[in-house]
Amino acid sequence: MRYVSTTLVIVAALAGLSVFFGSWYTIDQGERGVILRYGALSGVAEPGLGFKLPLIDSVVRVSVQSKSVVYDKMEAYSRDQQPADIKLSVNYRIPADRVQDVYANYGGEDGLLARLIERKVFEETKTVFGRFNAVTAIQERGRLNAEVAAAIQEGVSGPVLIDGVQIENIDFSESYEASIEQRMLAEVEVQRLRQNAEREKVQAEITVTQANAQADARRADAQAQADAVRLAAQAEAEAIRLRGDAEAEAIKARGDALKDNPGLVSLTQAEKWDGQLPRTMLPGGAVPMLNLNAN
């Protein structure tokens, strides 16, 4: 009897502890609690301490914080039929006022991911990627990422918010990546040759411009020299004309003076005579500048 009593006491104590600890719960700030009574939805618990009926009520915690899920090696084909493995991350969160819908329609966050988000992510990513050529998908990664994100955000319609989508990597086959690399190298080489051609063209234009400038300078110098020679010749001609005019005037003046004064010649000779008679004379010659007329 004593053994039975002890066992009953222990069972009662355990039952009491179970009832005590099963009658309250706590919800973190980043969670909401779905309260189930006999497995049926009864309500949503806010963060903090809550109480429930032991063995009758249960609480399922659902996170309302932003989370990220990564989808690796999603197979997709580009518009030019090139296979690719895409690594993509999706940031999502469950609105606090939609927690009850998540549990009622999807059985929780895992069901929401599997039945809604993942399905739409795969579907929309393949659709958008199929509109890009392989080269375009690499060269215009930003546009590809933006269109994929917009398609997923529009396609995921339910009790969840898609905060962001990021394409982290795109892997094509090794042979195709090698061909892309060769094509890019060829494009770089073409670009380099085009730049060299443009540089040589500019250099040629500079050379022509310099040559034209030098030719213009030489022409200007030649013109200046020609102008200087012409001006010098004109000046010399004018000087000669002036001297000729002056000499003509002087001759005319002397002629007029001689005409008006016949003795001017004798006077000039007398003025210039040094008073010395010639030492030798021709027979019958007259003594210069001496008029021996008795008158």
Side-chain angles (χ1 to χ4, degrees):
M1 290 292 295
R2 181 177 298 176
Y3 176 76
V4 174
S5 299
T6 302
T7 302
L8 291 176
V9 170
I10 294 173
V11 171
L14 291 176
L17 290 173
S18 177
V19 170
F20 174 76
F21 286 107
S23 62
W24 58 275
Y25 58 88
T26 57
I27 302 297
D28 292 338
Q29 186 62 41
E31 297 176 336
R32 294 297 184 270
V34 178
I35 301 175
L36 302 176
R37 178 162 295 173
Y38 295 116
L41 279 171
S42 177
V44 176
E46 297 295 324
L49 179 65
F51 296 93
K52 61 184 180 67
L53 297 176
L55 305 178
I56 297 177
D57 293 341
S58 61
V59 178
V60 178
R61 292 170 175 79
V62 178
S63 176
V64 293
Q65 294 179 328
S66 180
K67 292 185 177 181
S68 177
V69 58
V70 177
Y71 299 98
D72 198 4
K73 293 187 177 302
M74 286 194 303
E75 294 183 357
Y77 284 86
S78 62
R79 188 171 63 182
D80 51 352
Q81 299 300 313
Q82 294 298 329
D85 290 333
I86 301 175
K87 183 179 180 180
L88 181 142
S89 61
V90 178
N91 295 324
Y92 71 95
R93 59 187 173 89
I94 298 173
D97 58 348
R98 303 296 301 275
V99 170
Q100 188 169 344
D101 295 336
V102 170
Y103 190 85
N105 297 322
Y106 300 98
E109 184 177 351
D110 292 339
L112 177 71
L113 286 173
R115 294 164 51 191
L116 177 60
I117 296 179
E118 181 175 319
R119 182 171 61 85
K120 284 296 182 180
V121 166
F122 278 58
E123 178 182 334
E124 300 298 339
T125 300
K126 291 181 178 181
T127 300
V128 174
F129 188 76
R131 297 199 293 262
F132 285 75
N133 289 330
V135 174
T136 307
I138 295 175
Q139 293 178 342
E140 301 182 16
R141 173 75 71 86
R143 183 167 69 91
L144 172 62
N145 194 104
E147 293 187 12
V148 169
I152 292 175
Q153 289 172 337
E154 184 178 353
V156 176
S157 178
V160 64
L161 296 177
I162 304 298
D163 292 329
V165 176
Q166 182 64 43
I167 296 178
E168 299 184 5
N169 191 33
I170 302 175
D171 286 329
F172 291 97
S173 64
E174 294 182 359
S175 60
Y176 187 72
E177 289 185 351
S179 67
I180 291 178
E181 183 178 359
Q182 293 298 323
R183 184 182 306 173
M184 289 185 174
L185 290 175
E187 291 178 357
V188 170
E189 180 64 18
V190 170
Q191 185 66 23
R192 185 185 67 81
L193 294 175
R194 184 177 293 115
Q195 291 176 352
N196 290 340
E198 290 293 333
R199 182 169 58 251
E200 292 176 356
K201 179 181 178 182
V202 172
Q203 187 61 43
E205 292 175 352
I206 293 174
T207 302
V208 171
T209 301
Q210 292 175 343
N212 290 335
Q214 292 174 357
D216 292 340
R218 287 194 295 269
R219 283 194 294 270
D221 290 342
Q223 185 64 39
Q225 293 176 0
D227 291 342
V229 171
R230 184 175 63 255
L231 291 175
Q234 290 175 351
E236 181 66 20
E238 183 65 18
I240 293 172
R241 185 184 66 79
L242 292 176
R243 286 197 300 269
D245 290 345
E247 291 177 357
E249 289 292 334
I251 293 170
K252 183 177 183 299
R254 287 196 296 270
D256 292 340
L258 289 174
K259 182 178 66 174
D260 296 336
N261 300 283
L264 181 60
V265 174
S266 298
L267 177 61
T268 302
Q269 290 177 345
E271 289 176 347
K272 294 185 177 180
W273 184 42
D274 58 1
Q276 299 292 327
L277 292 173
R279 296 178 184 270
T280 58
M281 294 181 57
L282 295 174
V287 179
M289 300 178 59
L290 291 179
N291 186 358
L292 301 179
N293 189 347
N295 293 330

